[in-house]
């Protein structure tokens, strides 16, 4: 059994997505997946599903939802304990857990083994199918976790691009970076990666213009100036500082 939350909520067995029922029933499963292997009280599940105005029949309806989930997921998947309901799910059966493990390993290898880091980070990012938790991510009980996972996804994407730069794929990532910067114009690390990619691709003037665009966007839209790190990178590009020279362009960069 595999549970997927990096996109619309899914439970998958033998490569087949199982029918999880309506929105409220899926909310029950989602709440159990927030703490797999730990009991979740009935009161907390009721609050997750109905908020501050549960019906008088909420407890019985919750029991019905759990019963249906047991029928779909199999005997023993959801247990009733003195502390509440517990979902039997090992950490590696939830895609979010695998993503965090792979992304963490990739981040640790970034400076010492960038090629291995890039491969791990690609595997991590390939687990995503859309915004975390899908439509459930907008529910109050899941909003913070959805945002946390989304931030980790962006950090992993930045790490993967940084790893590609360190193995000589500067020219290959420029187009990708331009699109990502357009979607996330206030992330200075993305601007720094774009500037570095352009510079290492032999496009110094464009790299300097990227800094000017970053400074304009930050100033006009947020009322702040670029950080010292971004200004230092601009100066190094201007001076063609050897410390930011990258490796030779990789032989596989064009095909990649």
């Amino acid at each position: 059994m595999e549970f997927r939350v990096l996109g619309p909520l899914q439970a998958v067995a033998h490569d087949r997505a199982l029918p999880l029922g309506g929105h409220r029933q899926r909310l029950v499963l989602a709440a159990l997946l927030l703490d797999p292997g730990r009991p979740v009280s009935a009161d907390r599940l009721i609050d997750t599903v109905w908020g501050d105005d549960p019906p008088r029949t909420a407890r019985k309806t919750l029991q019905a939802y759990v019963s249906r989930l047991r029928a779909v997921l199999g005997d023993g998947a959801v247990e009733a304990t003195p502390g509440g309901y517990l979902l039997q799910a090992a950490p590696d059966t939830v895609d979010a857990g695998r993503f965090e493990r792979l992304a963490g390993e990739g981040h640790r290898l970034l400076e010492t083994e960038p090629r291995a880091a890039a491969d791990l980070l690609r595997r991590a990012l390939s687990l995503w199918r859309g915004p975390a938790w899908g439509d459930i991510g907008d529910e109050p009980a899941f909003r913070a976790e959805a945002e946390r996972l989304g931030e980790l996804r962006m950090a992993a994407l930045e790490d993967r691009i940084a790893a590609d730069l360190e193995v000589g794929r500067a020219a290959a990532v420029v187009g990708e970076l331009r699109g990502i910067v357009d979607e996330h114009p206030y992330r200075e690390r993305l601007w720094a990666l774009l500037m570095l990619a352009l510079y290492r691709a032999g496009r110094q003037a464009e790299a300097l213009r990227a800094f000017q665009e970053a400074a304009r966007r930050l100033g006009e839209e947020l009322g702040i100036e670029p950080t010292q790190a971004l200004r230092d990178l601009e100066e190094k590009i201007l001076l063609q500082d050897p410390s930011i020279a990258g490796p030779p362009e990789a032989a596989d960069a064009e095909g990649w």
Side-chain angles (χ1 to χ4, degrees):
M1 180 74 66
E2 177 188 359
F3 296 98
R4 299 175 180 175
V5 302
L6 302 180
L9 175 64
Q10 289 184 334
V12 178
H14 307 296
D15 296 323
R16 182 175 67 89
L18 303 178
L20 297 178
H23 184 71
R24 286 177 173 164
Q25 187 167 298
R26 289 187 295 116
L27 280 177
V28 173
L29 176 59
L32 295 173
L33 278 168
L34 281 176
D35 290 298
R38 295 182 181 179
V40 182
S41 71
D43 288 340
R44 180 176 160 192
L45 289 171
I46 289 171
D47 184 62
T48 297
V49 175
W50 288 282
D52 296 331
D53 190 26
R56 286 181 296 175
T57 58
R59 199 165 293 270
K60 283 190 176 181
T61 304
L62 173 62
Q63 292 171 351
Y65 289 156
V66 171
S67 178
R68 292 172 195 161
L69 287 171
R70 283 173 173 158
V72 171
L73 302 177
D75 291 338
V78 182
E79 296 182 7
T81 74
Y85 293 103
L86 179 150
L87 177 69
Q88 293 287 4
D92 220 40
T93 63
V94 183
D95 59 358
R98 295 201 305 279
F99 163 74
E100 291 196 55
R101 176 176 57 78
L102 290 168
E105 291 175 6
H107 181 77
R108 286 190 291 274
L109 291 175
L110 189 55
E111 293 189 8
T112 57
E113 299 179 54
R115 190 174 294 276
D119 290 341
L120 284 169
L121 291 160
R122 277 194 182 82
R123 285 172 56 194
L125 292 164
S126 71
L127 296 171
W128 284 80
R129 299 167 292 112
W133 297 97
D135 60 325
I136 289 174
D138 291 329
E139 296 283 345
F142 300 92
R143 198 170 295 142
E145 178 63 6
E147 290 174 357
R148 185 187 73 86
L149 288 171
E151 177 59 31
L152 290 178
R153 181 187 192 181
M154 287 303 304
L157 179 58
E158 291 168 346
D159 279 349
R160 195 229 81 210
I161 293 171
D164 283 330
L165 285 175
E166 293 310 309
V167 296
R169 293 173 176 153
V173 300
V174 168
E176 178 186 15
L177 272 167
R178 287 197 185 279
I180 300 171
V181 164
D182 284 344
E183 292 181 17
H184 306 275
Y186 309 133
R187 297 182 71 93
E188 289 200 35
R189 189 183 181 198
L190 286 175
W191 284 107
L193 290 168
L194 176 59
M195 291 163 61
L196 198 57
L198 287 166
Y199 177 74
R200 290 183 178 180
R203 298 155 69 175
Q204 181 185 13
E206 290 180 64
L208 294 171
R209 285 198 294 272
F211 172 81
Q212 293 165 1
E213 176 63 13
R216 184 189 68 79
R217 296 289 298 270
L218 293 170
E220 291 182 0
E221 298 172 26
L222 295 183
I224 62 174
E225 294 184 355
T227 60
Q228 187 62 49
L230 203 62
R231 295 199 298 271
D232 289 345
L233 179 58
E234 181 212 22
E235 184 176 0
K236 288 178 179 180
I237 291 172
L238 190 62
L239 299 175
Q240 299 184 7
D241 191 316
S243 69
I244 60 170
E249 190 73 5
D252 65 342
E254 184 175 351
W256 177 88

